[in-house]
Every structure is written in C-alpha cells, then in structure tokens.
Amino acid sequence: MNTGLFGQPLTNTSPANGLGRRDHLTFRGNVAIGRHGWLRLTPAYSLHLVRELLKQSGPDETVLEPFSGTGTTPLACASLGIRCDAVDINPFLVWLGNLKLTRFDNGTARAVKSAAGRIAEKARNPRTAAWKPDLHQIEKWWDAPTLHTLAALCDGIRKPPRERAAGVSDLLSVAFCRVMIQSANVSFGHQSMSFKKNGEGGGLVPETPAHAAERIAAAFVTAANEVADSLDVEPPTADCRVVLGDSRDLSAALPAGKQRYTAVITSPPYPNRMSYIRELRPYMYWLGYLSDGRAAGELDWKAIGGTWGCATSLLNSWKPSGPGEIPFPEFNRIIREISAGHMLLGRYVHKYFEDIKAHIVSLRKVLAPGARCHYIVGNSKFYDTVLPVEDIYTALFEDAGFVDVRVETIRKRTSKKELYEFIVHARALSRDCRVNG
Ligand SMILES: C[S@@+](CC[C@H](N)C(=O)[O-])C[C@H]1O[C@@H](n2cnc3c(N)ncnc32)[C@H](O)[C@@H]1O
C-alpha cells in the first residue's frame, strides 16, 4: 500500500485509524514563524504541512491557492522562492496576505518602530474621543478606557502628521490588530471565538483610565517592534500575490494569461458552520472592511460555507440544482438524514457541495497538464450522521476528470471519535485537461 506525506496509508476512501491530535499540523504551529505569526486567525492552517507538500516542488512550479485565508501557502512559497497566486473572497484577508508578501526595504522596520512610539505617546493622553467602529455591542468587547485608547491608536495610524513610507501604516495596523484582539474580552479556547465569562482571568477588570491607556499604548509599541523585527525572518524572495475573487469561477478571478498552475495547495472552508466573517469581525470593523451587520452577512453568503447573519435567511430561499448533481452515491440519503434533524442544515450541506463542485470544475480550466492538487479538508458530524467530506471531494475530483485521487488521514480534530483532517490528493490529466472543459 502507498503511504502519504505523514506515513499514513493512501487509500481511495477514508481510513478510520487512531491518529492523535498532532497540533503542529494546525495553525498553532505557525505563531512563532515571522510574518506567519502576525495575527492568530482561525482560518489559518499548518505551515509545516505546506512546507512538506512543497518539498515535491521544483524551480518551475507555479502554485495556486484558491482559498488563501491568512496567506499561509503564498507566504510559504514566497519564502522558498516559488511563484504562487492566491485567491480569497474576503478583502481583509486579501490585504493581509499581500502585506505578508511585500518585499520591504531596509528602512521600513525602523520607520514602523519610530512611528509606533509617536502614536503611542499621543494615545496615552488623547485630547478628544476618536472614531470607533460600529461593532454590535462594542462595550462587550472592550471596557471604556481600553476602547478609548484603542480608538486613539487607530486615529494615529489613520491620520499621520506627515506622509509615511510605503507599507508603514499597514504594518502599524497589524500591530494595532494584535493589541486590539489581545485586549478584547474574548477567548480562543474553542474552535471559534467566544466572550469570556467573568472570572475567566480577563473579564472586565476595573482599572483607572490612565493605567489602561498606559498598558494599551505600551502593548502597541511592543507589538509594532515585534512586527518590524519579523520582517527579516524568512522574507519573501519570489513575486506572489493574493487577488480578490471567487474560487467558484477561477478563470474570472485569476490574472489572464497566467492560468497554467502546476500545483494547488489549499484548505477550503469546511462544512462545519464556522463563519470566518464572524471570527474576523473585530479586525474587519476596525480596519474599515465592514461597517454594518448586513454587509457582514452578505459577505458571508458569498463565501463557501458561510452562515452568519442574513446568510442564514438567504439559505432559506436557496434551491438545490436537483438530485444527482453531487456524484456521490450516498449523498441524497445523507442530506435526507441531516434535513430530518434540521431542514436548513441539510440545505447548508447541500449548497456547500454544490459550491465546491463549481470550484473543482472551474479549477480544471486553470491547471497545467499533470498538475498536483492537495486539499486539506475535515469531515463533520450532524446529529448521528457523519458527513464523509473527504470521500465526497474524491467523487467530485473524479467526476471532473482528475486522476490518482487519494485520501490521506493526517490528524484527529477533536475528542469526538469520528472527526479527522485529511489531505485529498488529485492530479490533473497529463494531456491538456481543458479538452472537455
Ligand atoms: C480554511 S480558510 C483558508 C485557510 C488558509 N489556508 C490559511 O492558512 O489561512 C478558507 C478561506 O476560504 C475563503 N473563501 C470562502 N469562500 C470563498 C470563495 N468562494 N472564493 C474564494 N475564497 C473563499 C474564506 O474567506 C477563507 O479565508
């Protein structure tokens, strides 16, 4: 039997083996590595995993990452001198990804540090109240003195007294985001973000406004220094970029004329009802990528697997294309079982796979013959029904004309027995795979 990258058997169905949690195969392993560690965002996946997959790459590789997220794949490629184009539907993540991929000149780190010192000085004693985002129940996120100082820092970044060198304000915004989220009354103990309960060591601690201002301003200077110092760690040496677009139509999303990718390394959204918009809200509101709840829900509706705000009600009126659309023999039974528990959940799963199908069909058209694809996916469980995500991906790849489709089980995701993470490997046909497209 073939073995995969991590010594696990490669099969064409998912093996139920006894793998442990293997946290280095998640984003937790990225936090200390230069720009990868800037922000601890839930969408990220493991840099270690991407590097293992890139070991197979030669100098002529051109990688595609259709679900860029925090930019793990393009940054790993850029640091190794490998070309990569990435796509994401979220403009905040496109901004962050491109910032990580920027080749800064020597003076940038110094400029960031000295601007941070000046901004912090002013924020320690702000004269007037500055702009704050219209985030729902913002007082649950930060107490009043903390919020006041954050607003003053944000104001100092947005309104420089004189023009700054390219990238400096953006890097200061990353430092701001670190402080903003560290000082928020939220916890990341679970898969997604939640408000801390009183007594969880970070609830709303009484503090004088002057102390709060000093603490937050000092944290900002520290964060700016860390961001500045990280610029030299494994810096990008190849031109890579992230474009704003929809991976269900890659020909439209990607730059024309560059659409012959030799490898795909990605982690698409999982069908687990986790909303990236919900998770990323504080960053997106503070940096001006969102200004109201309606826009948040609409963006989540455009994203595959989104269910935040109005995305849920829009799902109510969504109609599946019809039976047989998803070429997996058990699919209709699975949807019936999940729908029996909750009709909307069945529809959610159905739409997720129709979206992934559109993505895989559009992928064929932008790949070079023989291109290798690696999809990191997780399965889900709804009520008593396990959703064999990896097997449905396998069926979708085979249906779209890909060959050598194999599943590798890489880690257990939670304490629940049935939840694993897998790599679905597939190869585009050696002949021009666009013949039938
Ligand atoms: C699991 S995350 C990607 C994680 C990424 N590999 C990383 O390390 O950060 C999935 C990403 O897909 C994006 N996404 C969802 N629907 C999309 C679509 N239709 N087109 C492009 N990107 C989409 C989400 O915004 C999210 O950033």
Tab-separated table of all heavy atoms in Angstrom, residues 41 92 131 133 135 141-142 176-177 180-181 184 186 188 193 276-290:
chain	number	residue	atom	x	y	z
A	41	LEU	N	-5.291	33.944	13.472
A	41	LEU	CA	-6.641	33.918	12.886
A	41	LEU	C	-7.096	32.483	12.660
A	41	LEU	O	-6.322	31.636	12.213
A	41	LEU	CB	-6.662	34.678	11.556
A	41	LEU	CG	-6.215	36.135	11.619
A	41	LEU	CD1	-6.271	36.773	10.237
A	41	LEU	CD2	-7.059	36.927	12.588
A	92	PHE	N	-10.375	41.791	3.567
A	92	PHE	CA	-9.427	41.969	4.679
A	92	PHE	C	-8.294	40.944	4.550
A	92	PHE	O	-7.111	41.264	4.721
A	92	PHE	CB	-10.170	41.811	6.021
A	92	PHE	CG	-9.270	41.509	7.182
A	92	PHE	CD1	-8.383	42.468	7.669
A	92	PHE	CD2	-9.289	40.258	7.789
A	92	PHE	CE1	-7.537	42.185	8.736
A	92	PHE	CE2	-8.450	39.970	8.854
A	92	PHE	CZ	-7.573	40.930	9.330
A	131	TRP	N	-12.758	58.190	16.503
A	131	TRP	CA	-13.716	57.282	15.854
A	131	TRP	C	-13.597	55.855	16.413
A	131	TRP	O	-12.495	55.368	16.640
A	131	TRP	CB	-13.439	57.285	14.351
A	131	TRP	CG	-14.193	56.242	13.588
A	131	TRP	CD1	-15.445	56.365	13.056
A	131	TRP	CD2	-13.741	54.907	13.256
A	131	TRP	NE1	-15.797	55.196	12.423
A	131	TRP	CE2	-14.775	54.285	12.534
A	131	TRP	CE3	-12.570	54.178	13.512
A	131	TRP	CZ2	-14.673	52.976	12.049
A	131	TRP	CZ3	-12.472	52.874	13.035
A	131	TRP	CH2	-13.516	52.297	12.318
A	133	PRO	N	-15.425	51.862	15.684
A	133	PRO	CA	-16.278	51.174	14.700
A	133	PRO	C	-17.659	50.873	15.276
A	133	PRO	O	-17.829	50.778	16.486
A	133	PRO	CB	-15.515	49.879	14.428
A	133	PRO	CG	-14.657	49.660	15.615
A	133	PRO	CD	-14.341	50.996	16.192
A	135	LEU	N	-19.371	48.336	15.792
A	135	LEU	CA	-19.447	46.896	16.056
A	135	LEU	C	-20.555	46.657	17.079
A	135	LEU	O	-20.581	47.313	18.121
A	135	LEU	CB	-18.086	46.447	16.605
A	135	LEU	CG	-17.809	44.987	16.881
A	135	LEU	CD1	-17.983	44.143	15.636
A	135	LEU	CD2	-16.363	44.836	17.383
A	141	TRP	N	-16.921	43.932	24.111
A	141	TRP	CA	-15.584	43.566	23.638
A	141	TRP	C	-14.481	44.237	24.469
A	141	TRP	O	-13.468	43.621	24.763
A	141	TRP	CB	-15.408	43.981	22.172
A	141	TRP	CG	-16.238	43.198	21.212
A	141	TRP	CD1	-17.559	43.394	20.919
A	141	TRP	CD2	-15.818	42.092	20.422
A	141	TRP	NE1	-17.981	42.484	19.985
A	141	TRP	CE2	-16.928	41.668	19.648
A	141	TRP	CE3	-14.597	41.421	20.266
A	141	TRP	CZ2	-16.855	40.607	18.764
A	141	TRP	CZ3	-14.533	40.361	19.368
A	141	TRP	CH2	-15.661	39.961	18.639
A	142	TRP	N	-14.672	45.539	24.740
A	142	TRP	CA	-13.630	46.294	25.468
A	142	TRP	C	-14.290	47.198	26.487
A	142	TRP	O	-15.351	47.786	26.220
A	142	TRP	CB	-12.822	47.173	24.501
A	142	TRP	CG	-12.123	46.393	23.446
A	142	TRP	CD1	-10.911	45.773	23.552
A	142	TRP	CD2	-12.590	46.132	22.115
A	142	TRP	NE1	-10.593	45.138	22.373
A	142	TRP	CE2	-11.615	45.343	21.473
A	142	TRP	CE3	-13.736	46.483	21.396
A	142	TRP	CZ2	-11.740	44.900	20.163
A	142	TRP	CZ3	-13.864	46.049	20.090
A	142	TRP	CH2	-12.879	45.259	19.480
A	176	PHE	N	-1.611	47.115	15.588
A	176	PHE	CA	-2.851	47.541	16.252
A	176	PHE	C	-3.794	46.330	16.425
A	176	PHE	O	-4.385	46.139	17.483
A	176	PHE	CB	-3.541	48.635	15.415
A	176	PHE	CG	-4.913	48.951	15.921
A	176	PHE	CD1	-5.091	49.802	17.008
A	176	PHE	CD2	-6.037	48.372	15.344
A	176	PHE	CE1	-6.362	50.060	17.504
A	176	PHE	CE2	-7.303	48.620	15.839
A	176	PHE	CZ	-7.467	49.473	16.927
A	177	CYS	N	-3.939	45.548	15.371
A	177	CYS	CA	-4.842	44.379	15.436
A	177	CYS	C	-4.416	43.424	16.540
A	177	CYS	O	-5.250	42.838	17.227
A	177	CYS	CB	-4.855	43.644	14.097
A	177	CYS	SG	-5.810	44.487	12.849
A	180	MET	N	-5.484	45.084	19.775
A	180	MET	CA	-6.948	45.152	19.818
A	180	MET	C	-7.529	43.789	20.235
A	180	MET	O	-8.391	43.699	21.096
A	180	MET	CB	-7.421	45.589	18.418
A	180	MET	CG	-8.876	45.618	18.152
A	180	MET	SD	-9.531	44.015	17.689
A	180	MET	CE	-8.872	43.720	16.057
A	181	ILE	N	-6.986	42.710	19.671
A	181	ILE	CA	-7.573	41.400	19.950
A	181	ILE	C	-7.080	40.861	21.301
A	181	ILE	O	-7.829	40.232	22.041
A	181	ILE	CB	-7.350	40.409	18.787
A	181	ILE	CG1	-8.501	39.420	18.715
A	181	ILE	CG2	-6.039	39.690	18.809
A	181	ILE	CD1	-9.799	39.977	18.273
A	184	ALA	N	-9.160	42.343	23.980
A	184	ALA	CA	-10.609	42.119	23.903
A	184	ALA	C	-11.032	41.061	24.908
A	184	ALA	O	-10.248	40.178	25.274
A	184	ALA	CB	-11.000	41.680	22.495
A	186	VAL	N	-12.406	38.363	24.842
A	186	VAL	CA	-12.798	37.148	24.122
A	186	VAL	C	-11.787	36.043	24.369
A	186	VAL	O	-10.635	36.309	24.704
A	186	VAL	CB	-12.915	37.377	22.590
A	186	VAL	CG1	-14.114	38.223	22.254
A	186	VAL	CG2	-11.645	37.968	22.030
A	188	PHE	N	-10.137	32.254	22.903
A	188	PHE	CA	-9.955	31.437	21.707
A	188	PHE	C	-9.793	29.968	22.082
A	188	PHE	O	-9.196	29.202	21.362
A	188	PHE	CB	-8.713	31.898	20.937
A	188	PHE	CG	-8.850	33.263	20.376
A	188	PHE	CD1	-8.411	34.366	21.085
A	188	PHE	CD2	-9.446	33.465	19.152
A	188	PHE	CE1	-8.549	35.635	20.577
A	188	PHE	CE2	-9.588	34.735	18.635
A	188	PHE	CZ	-9.144	35.825	19.356
A	193	MET	N	-14.224	31.871	18.361
A	193	MET	CA	-14.058	32.893	19.375
A	193	MET	C	-15.334	33.025	20.214
A	193	MET	O	-16.429	32.938	19.680
A	193	MET	CB	-13.857	34.172	18.580
A	193	MET	CG	-13.285	35.300	19.291
A	193	MET	SD	-12.764	36.487	18.034
A	193	MET	CE	-14.299	37.301	17.712
A	276	TYR	N	-16.155	32.526	8.938
A	276	TYR	CA	-14.927	33.325	9.019
A	276	TYR	C	-15.251	34.780	9.274
A	276	TYR	O	-14.509	35.483	9.941
A	276	TYR	CB	-14.105	33.189	7.727
A	276	TYR	CG	-13.646	31.780	7.534
A	276	TYR	CD1	-14.194	30.984	6.540
A	276	TYR	CD2	-12.712	31.222	8.387
A	276	TYR	CE1	-13.806	29.675	6.398
A	276	TYR	CE2	-12.319	29.916	8.252
A	276	TYR	CZ	-12.876	29.144	7.256
A	276	TYR	OH	-12.494	27.849	7.137
A	277	ILE	N	-16.366	35.234	8.759
A	277	ILE	CA	-16.724	36.649	8.944
A	277	ILE	C	-17.001	36.902	10.427
A	277	ILE	O	-16.572	37.911	10.981
A	277	ILE	CB	-17.964	37.017	8.099
A	277	ILE	CG1	-17.689	36.730	6.620
A	277	ILE	CG2	-18.363	38.475	8.285
A	277	ILE	CD1	-16.523	37.459	6.033
A	278	ARG	N	-17.703	35.980	11.037
A	278	ARG	CA	-17.977	36.145	12.465
A	278	ARG	C	-16.661	36.244	13.247
A	278	ARG	O	-16.484	37.111	14.083
A	278	ARG	CB	-18.815	34.961	12.977
A	278	ARG	CG	-19.085	35.038	14.449
A	278	ARG	CD	-19.904	33.845	14.939
A	278	ARG	NE	-20.157	33.979	16.365
A	278	ARG	CZ	-19.322	33.581	17.321
A	278	ARG	NH1	-18.174	32.997	17.008
A	278	ARG	NH2	-19.618	33.760	18.591
A	279	GLU	N	-15.733	35.349	12.911
A	279	GLU	CA	-14.451	35.328	13.611
A	279	GLU	C	-13.627	36.581	13.356
A	279	GLU	O	-12.907	37.043	14.228
A	279	GLU	CB	-13.621	34.124	13.128
A	279	GLU	CG	-14.260	32.787	13.395
A	279	GLU	CD	-14.378	32.519	14.869
A	279	GLU	OE1	-13.333	32.463	15.527
A	279	GLU	OE2	-15.521	32.394	15.360
A	280	LEU	N	-13.720	37.091	12.136
A	280	LEU	CA	-12.828	38.189	11.736
A	280	LEU	C	-13.459	39.562	11.929
A	280	LEU	O	-12.839	40.579	11.624
A	280	LEU	CB	-12.410	38.004	10.264
A	280	LEU	CG	-11.659	36.702	9.973
A	280	LEU	CD1	-11.409	36.547	8.474
A	280	LEU	CD2	-10.321	36.655	10.715
A	281	ARG	N	-14.709	39.581	12.398
A	281	ARG	CA	-15.431	40.842	12.577
A	281	ARG	C	-14.620	41.960	13.225
A	281	ARG	O	-14.576	43.061	12.704
A	281	ARG	CB	-16.665	40.598	13.439
A	281	ARG	CG	-17.966	40.601	12.729
A	281	ARG	CD	-19.056	40.224	13.682
A	281	ARG	NE	-18.639	39.175	14.596
A	281	ARG	CZ	-19.128	38.993	15.817
A	281	ARG	NH1	-20.059	39.780	16.287
A	281	ARG	NH2	-18.722	38.013	16.576
A	282	PRO	N	-14.002	41.739	14.407
A	282	PRO	CA	-13.341	42.886	15.043
A	282	PRO	C	-12.258	43.493	14.155
A	282	PRO	O	-12.164	44.719	14.047
A	282	PRO	CB	-12.743	42.304	16.330
A	282	PRO	CG	-12.838	40.833	16.197
A	282	PRO	CD	-13.925	40.522	15.228
A	283	TYR	N	-11.474	42.647	13.497
A	283	TYR	CA	-10.429	43.171	12.607
A	283	TYR	C	-11.059	43.963	11.462
A	283	TYR	O	-10.616	45.044	11.097
A	283	TYR	CB	-9.614	42.026	11.984
A	283	TYR	CG	-8.989	41.093	12.974
A	283	TYR	CD1	-9.633	39.934	13.396
A	283	TYR	CD2	-7.726	41.370	13.495
A	283	TYR	CE1	-9.045	39.079	14.310
A	283	TYR	CE2	-7.130	40.511	14.413
A	283	TYR	CZ	-7.804	39.375	14.818
A	283	TYR	OH	-7.222	38.533	15.720
A	284	MET	N	-12.106	43.393	10.897
A	284	MET	CA	-12.700	43.989	9.698
A	284	MET	C	-13.405	45.305	10.008
A	284	MET	O	-13.372	46.232	9.204
A	284	MET	CB	-13.646	42.988	9.028
A	284	MET	CG	-12.880	41.774	8.508
A	284	MET	SD	-13.929	40.565	7.694
A	284	MET	CE	-14.335	41.426	6.179
A	285	TYR	N	-14.021	45.396	11.166
A	285	TYR	CA	-14.664	46.666	11.537
A	285	TYR	C	-13.622	47.737	11.825
A	285	TYR	O	-13.727	48.863	11.344
A	285	TYR	CB	-15.575	46.474	12.765
A	285	TYR	CG	-16.984	46.066	12.402
A	285	TYR	CD1	-17.329	44.726	12.232
A	285	TYR	CD2	-17.985	47.017	12.224
A	285	TYR	CE1	-18.622	44.337	11.918
A	285	TYR	CE2	-19.289	46.638	11.910
A	285	TYR	CZ	-19.592	45.301	11.766
A	285	TYR	OH	-20.873	44.933	11.446
A	286	TRP	N	-12.616	47.413	12.616
A	286	TRP	CA	-11.616	48.428	12.961
A	286	TRP	C	-10.863	48.917	11.726
A	286	TRP	O	-10.532	50.097	11.622
A	286	TRP	CB	-10.607	47.888	13.984
A	286	TRP	CG	-11.053	47.983	15.413
A	286	TRP	CD1	-11.496	46.963	16.204
A	286	TRP	CD2	-11.091	49.160	16.248
A	286	TRP	NE1	-11.803	47.425	17.458
A	286	TRP	CE2	-11.560	48.770	17.521
A	286	TRP	CE3	-10.764	50.506	16.050
A	286	TRP	CZ2	-11.712	49.664	18.579
A	286	TRP	CZ3	-10.924	51.396	17.115
A	286	TRP	CH2	-11.392	50.979	18.358
A	287	LEU	N	-10.576	48.021	10.806
A	287	LEU	CA	-9.790	48.438	9.637
A	287	LEU	C	-10.674	48.939	8.503
A	287	LEU	O	-10.193	49.248	7.418
A	287	LEU	CB	-8.895	47.297	9.140
A	287	LEU	CG	-7.843	46.788	10.138
A	287	LEU	CD1	-6.814	45.925	9.428
A	287	LEU	CD2	-7.130	47.916	10.874
A	288	GLY	N	-11.982	49.020	8.727
A	288	GLY	CA	-12.859	49.644	7.738
A	288	GLY	C	-13.329	48.711	6.630
A	288	GLY	O	-13.869	49.172	5.624
A	289	TYR	N	-13.142	47.389	6.792
A	289	TYR	CA	-13.630	46.458	5.763
A	289	TYR	C	-15.097	46.095	5.964
A	289	TYR	O	-15.715	45.513	5.079
A	289	TYR	CB	-12.778	45.180	5.753
A	289	TYR	CG	-11.408	45.436	5.187
A	289	TYR	CD1	-10.311	45.602	6.032
A	289	TYR	CD2	-11.209	45.580	3.821
A	289	TYR	CE1	-9.058	45.885	5.528
A	289	TYR	CE2	-9.961	45.859	3.304
A	289	TYR	CZ	-8.886	46.007	4.161
A	289	TYR	OH	-7.656	46.289	3.652
A	290	LEU	N	-15.647	46.420	7.119
A	290	LEU	CA	-17.074	46.200	7.383
A	290	LEU	C	-17.599	47.397	8.156
A	290	LEU	O	-16.890	47.944	9.009
A	290	LEU	CB	-17.285	44.973	8.268
A	290	LEU	CG	-17.278	43.592	7.648
A	290	LEU	CD1	-17.492	42.550	8.741
A	290	LEU	CD2	-18.323	43.430	6.557
